[in-house]
Amino acid sequence: MVVAHRIVDQASWDSVHAILATNGRSRDNATRATTPFLLKGIVFGHDGRALTPWHSTKKTTGKRYRYYLPMRDIKEHAGACGLPRMPAAELESAVLDQLRNILRAPNLLSDLVPQAIKLDPTLDEAKVTVAMTRLDAIWDQLFPVEQTRIVKMLIEKVIVSANDLEVRLRANGIEQLIRELQANPASKKHEEAIA
């Protein structure tokens, strides 16, 4: 005679299926609502004033829209500094694209290797190159909090104007990131798993 045992109690089973039965759009909105602002505290207008995270929610759909707004506009009046409200997803994507291009640039690696070796004699050009490749490969699998931490480790300031975007790197941010990537065997295992 075979005796069956429940792995999950009926109340938990019913609760999970109730969540799955809800509209996918509602679940997406709840997830978006917890998405942090990647550039909070490091994005500025061309006039040197900070851009602050801002969001609005459309009442009819509950959809949340994230922006970076010039502080001057919030304190004084709309349009004072000549910058429109910047859609957060687009600005963050543009900054990440620029950061990835910087990290892939061959001249950056040639400049970076001697500095990195000075900080950590166990590094060489191959290790630095692998570390930069590893970051790019695992970026989308990182939790938003970890992405934010890495961005703030690498980027000192983002300056936005109506027609331009400038990303200023921290002096030792890349070296610090390389050391973390070399010392973290979990990221190596993760990279091997997705390869």
Side-chain angles (χ1 to χ4, degrees):
M1 180 170 144
V2 177
V3 178
H5 294 284
R6 289 182 185 231
I7 297 172
V8 179
D9 63 85
Q10 189 65 42
S12 297
W13 179 266
D14 293 341
S15 175
V16 168
H17 281 277
I19 291 169
L20 292 173
T22 62
N23 183 332
R25 181 171 284 161
S26 299
R27 287 195 317 268
D28 285 347
N29 286 340
T31 302
R32 262 196 241 58
T34 61
T35 303
F37 284 86
L38 188 67
L39 305 175
K40 182 179 180 182
I42 61 171
V43 64
F44 297 85
H46 62 281
D47 63 355
R49 295 184 187 209
L51 272 64
T52 190
W54 195 265
H55 75 273
S56 63
T57 306
K58 191 169 184 176
K59 290 181 183 180
T60 56
T61 63
K63 185 171 182 179
R64 183 177 171 169
Y65 297 91
R66 298 180 319 119
Y67 301 98
Y68 289 96
L69 295 177
M71 284 298 294
R72 187 172 179 187
D73 284 3
I74 294 169
K75 291 182 178 180
E76 295 173 16
H77 61 282
C81 75
L83 276 179
R85 60 183 174 183
M86 311 289 276
E90 291 174 24
L91 180 58
E92 291 165 357
S93 179
V95 168
L96 288 175
D97 286 346
Q98 208 172 83
L99 183 60
R100 283 178 165 154
N101 289 336
I102 290 168
L103 294 177
R104 289 180 192 146
N107 62 340
L108 173 77
L109 288 174
S110 63
D111 292 344
L112 179 65
V113 170
Q115 295 172 19
I117 292 172
K118 196 183 304 178
L119 290 171
D120 183 352
T122 64
L123 294 177
D124 59 24
E125 186 173 355
K127 288 180 180 177
V128 173
T129 303
V130 167
M132 293 297 102
T133 305
R134 182 176 298 128
L135 176 64
D136 202 26
I138 66 170
W139 182 262
D140 292 333
Q141 283 76 40
L142 295 174
F143 287 111
V145 172
E146 184 64 8
Q147 289 177 344
T148 302
R149 186 186 75 79
I150 291 171
V151 163
K152 290 186 178 179
M153 180 191 312
L154 294 173
I155 298 175
E156 179 182 344
K157 184 184 275 191
V158 175
I159 301 170
V160 181
S161 69
N163 301 319
D164 197 25
L165 173 69
E166 179 185 347
V167 176
R168 293 186 185 169
L169 299 179
R170 290 194 179 279
N172 294 326
I174 295 174
E175 292 92 339
Q176 184 179 349
L177 179 65
I178 290 169
R179 275 189 260 139
E180 279 190 21
L181 289 170
Q182 288 298 318
N184 187 354
S187 67
K188 291 177 188 175
K189 288 178 186 173
H190 182 77
E191 181 190 49
E192 291 167 4
I194 61 173

